[in-house]
């Protein structure tokens, strides 16, 4: 098996880095919106909340990932993480297809920002003081969005024996989004979030299928290169489904909000 | 920790995990289970398995999207249009 014999330079490492980086970017953009909204009340507390959440997430990554990688048999680990990746990937793809096809409202960072600022209320005093509400909103936002990243980092990192590489890719995305947030000083509503989610959804689904197969004892033709084929197949299917939805006749009431989607899902 | 609080914590963690992984699309759980089942069932038939697994995933994804587009009785728009008939 290529992964076990050639630890560097494989197709799966490139895919792993891209998937983790893309997923982390999407989730961190969503978290940044909440951090910036919290910052309108107290920048100090918003940044403290963000830092605290990042520390907890880093500890979680090490606490879950290292024991998994050391103590679980590799085949069992691959089936478990493959299943998790399949669930996450299919969920991302399903929403991305519905959004791309115009059947579900796209994620609107501006609306989320406005709603969060409105719910926090006016600070009334200077924003450099400490504020519990701002700390909590930033902490919760980064924790919830980051937890998905932790799962992806741990899943991909442990199953490929590249946890540090996966963690570094996630860290790079956090830094990139953070710097971009400072530069533009606002939430990143211009980021093509649905496109990123589609790409990451395709990659997570491909990795999930690949690892479940490997863990069950199936040998993919071309080893890691089979990942490229899986990505191509799932990307083509996704594009076909988006096109079909876009040009198909929508049912009344199914445009922008899928009947199966809750109002919470529309906002997520 | 008392057994009551432990039960509450376990319940909360379970609800969070369900919302996180499954949300309102339990069919994805079924798809994942079918993929894992197929992988183990077909491990002796390698050439069939490498084709079957992606096909099952694609079929599952299609079903998930199709089900999300179906009107549901609890949907307010659907209830208004049909009086709640499935």
């Amino acid at each position: 098996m290529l992964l076990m014999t050639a630890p560097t330079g494989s197709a799966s490492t490139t895919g792993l880095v891209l998937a983790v980086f893309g997923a982390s970017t999407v989730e961190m953009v969503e978290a940044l919106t909440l951090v910036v909204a919290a910052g309108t009340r107290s920048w100090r507390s918003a940044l403290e909340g963000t830092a605290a959440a990042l520390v907890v997430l880093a500890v979680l990554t090490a606490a879950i990932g290292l024991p998994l990688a050391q103590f679980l048999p590799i085949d069992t680990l691959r089936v478990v993480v493959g299943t998790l990746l399949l669930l996450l990937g299919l969920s991302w793809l399903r929403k991305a297809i519905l959004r791309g096809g115009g059947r579900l409202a796209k994620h609107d960072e501006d609306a989320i920002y406005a709603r969060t600022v409105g719910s926090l209320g006016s600070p009334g005093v200077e924003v450099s003081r400490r504020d519990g509400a701002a700390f909590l909103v930033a902490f919760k936002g980064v924790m919830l969005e980051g937890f998905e990243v932790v799962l992806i980092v741990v899943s991909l990192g442990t199953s490929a024996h590249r946890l540090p590489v996966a963690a570094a890719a996630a860290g790079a995305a956090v830094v990139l989004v953070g710097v971009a947030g400072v530069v533009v000083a606002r939430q990143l509503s211009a980021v093509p979030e649905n496109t990123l989610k589609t790409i990451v959804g395709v990659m997570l689904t491909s990795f999930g299928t690949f690892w479940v197969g490997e863990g069950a004892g199936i040998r993919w033709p071309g080893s890691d290169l089979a990942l490229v084929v899986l990505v191509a197949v799932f990307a083509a299917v996704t594009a076909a489904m988006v096109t079909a939805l876009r040009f198909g006749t929508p049912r009344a009431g199914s445009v922008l909000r899928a009947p199966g989607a809750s109002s919470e899902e529309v906002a997520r | 920790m008392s057994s009551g609080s432990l039960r509450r914590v376990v319940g909360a963690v379970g609800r969070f995990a369900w919302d996180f992984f499954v949300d309102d699309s339990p069919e994805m759980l079924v798809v994942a289970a079918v993929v894992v089942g197929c992988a183990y069932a077909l491990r002796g038939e390698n050439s069939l398995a490498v084709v079957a697994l992606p096909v099952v995933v694609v079929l599952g994804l299609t079903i998930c999207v199709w089900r999300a587009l179906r009107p549901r009785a609890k949907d307010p728009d659907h209830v208004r249009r049909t009086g709640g008939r499935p």
Side-chain angles (χ1 to χ4, degrees):
Chain A
M1 192 164 21
L2 185 61
L3 276 175
M4 307 300 284
T5 54
T8 56
S10 66
S12 73
T13 305
T14 312
L16 178 151
V17 169
L18 287 176
V20 171
F21 187 81
S24 307
T25 302
V26 170
E27 297 299 336
M28 286 304 111
V29 165
E30 292 175 11
L32 181 68
T33 300
L34 298 173
V35 172
V36 173
T40 61
R41 203 175 156 93
S42 166
W43 272 112
R44 183 176 176 177
S45 295
L47 293 175
E48 285 172 353
T50 303
L54 287 175
V55 169
V56 174
L57 289 171
V59 171
L60 269 179
T61 306
I64 301 172
L66 294 178
L68 272 183
Q70 283 185 343
F71 299 116
L72 213 57
I74 186 69
D75 285 342
T76 310
L77 180 69
R78 283 177 174 171
V79 171
V80 170
V81 299
T83 308
L84 289 180
L85 290 173
L86 260 181
L87 283 172
L88 287 174
L90 286 173
S91 167
W92 281 41
L93 265 189
R94 172 177 159 271
K95 282 180 193 166
I97 289 168
L98 291 170
R99 284 176 176 145
R103 307 303 175 94
L104 187 65
K106 286 196 175 165
H107 201 102
D108 187 345
E109 296 298 336
D110 287 333
I112 294 168
Y113 174 79
R115 200 166 51 240
T116 309
V117 170
S119 70
L120 279 168
S122 170
V125 290
E126 81 281 4
V127 294
S128 59
R129 69 181 169 82
R130 277 212 164 90
D131 182 274
F135 180 92
L136 273 180
V137 166
F139 181 82
K140 197 175 148 192
V142 175
M143 266 303 288
L144 284 179
E145 303 298 347
F147 187 67
E148 202 158 353
V149 173
V150 166
L151 276 182
I152 292 169
V153 166
V154 168
S155 303
L156 287 173
T158 53
S159 55
H161 282 292
R162 289 177 180 83
L163 190 57
V165 175
V174 171
V175 171
L176 177 82
V177 173
V179 169
V182 169
V183 170
V184 299
R186 59 190 283 272
Q187 72 284 6
L188 303 174
S189 58
V191 170
E193 209 174 310
N194 204 52
T195 308
L196 274 177
K197 275 204 160 176
T198 308
I199 294 168
V200 175
V202 164
M203 299 191 81
L204 294 184
T205 306
S206 305
F207 270 107
T209 310
F210 183 84
W211 289 133
V212 167
E214 286 261 309
I218 292 166
R219 295 289 158 258
W220 295 94
S223 197
D224 287 13
L225 288 177
L227 268 171
V228 179
V229 178
L230 288 174
V231 166
V233 168
F234 293 140
V237 168
T238 301
M241 289 172 87
V242 168
T243 308
L245 285 185
R246 209 175 275 167
F247 294 106
T249 309
R251 287 191 184 95
S254 67
V255 178
L256 293 183
R257 178 173 177 247
S262 61
S263 52
E264 193 186 343
E265 183 184 0
V266 171
R268 209 181 300 160
Chain B
M1 186 184 278
S2 70
S3 65
S5 354
L6 184 66
R7 207 176 304 135
R8 272 196 300 277
V9 169
V10 171
V13 170
R15 274 194 301 277
F16 175 78
W18 179 267
D19 288 345
F20 192 85
F21 288 110
V22 180
D23 200 17
D24 67 340
S25 186
E27 58 269 21
M28 279 188 303
L29 201 59
V30 178
V31 173
V34 170
V35 171
V36 174
C38 277
Y40 278 107
L42 297 174
R43 61 180 157 177
E45 303 282 344
N46 205 70
S47 46
L48 177 61
V50 296
V51 175
L53 287 195
V55 169
V56 171
V57 172
V58 168
L59 283 177
L61 178 63
T62 309
I63 291 169
C64 291
V65 171
W66 173 70
R67 280 181 59 87
L69 290 170
R70 272 193 338 164
R72 290 185 191 179
K74 67 180 180 184
D75 176 45
D77 293 333
H78 178 69
V79 171
R80 199 166 46 245
R81 287 195 310 274
T82 66
R85 290 186 302 278

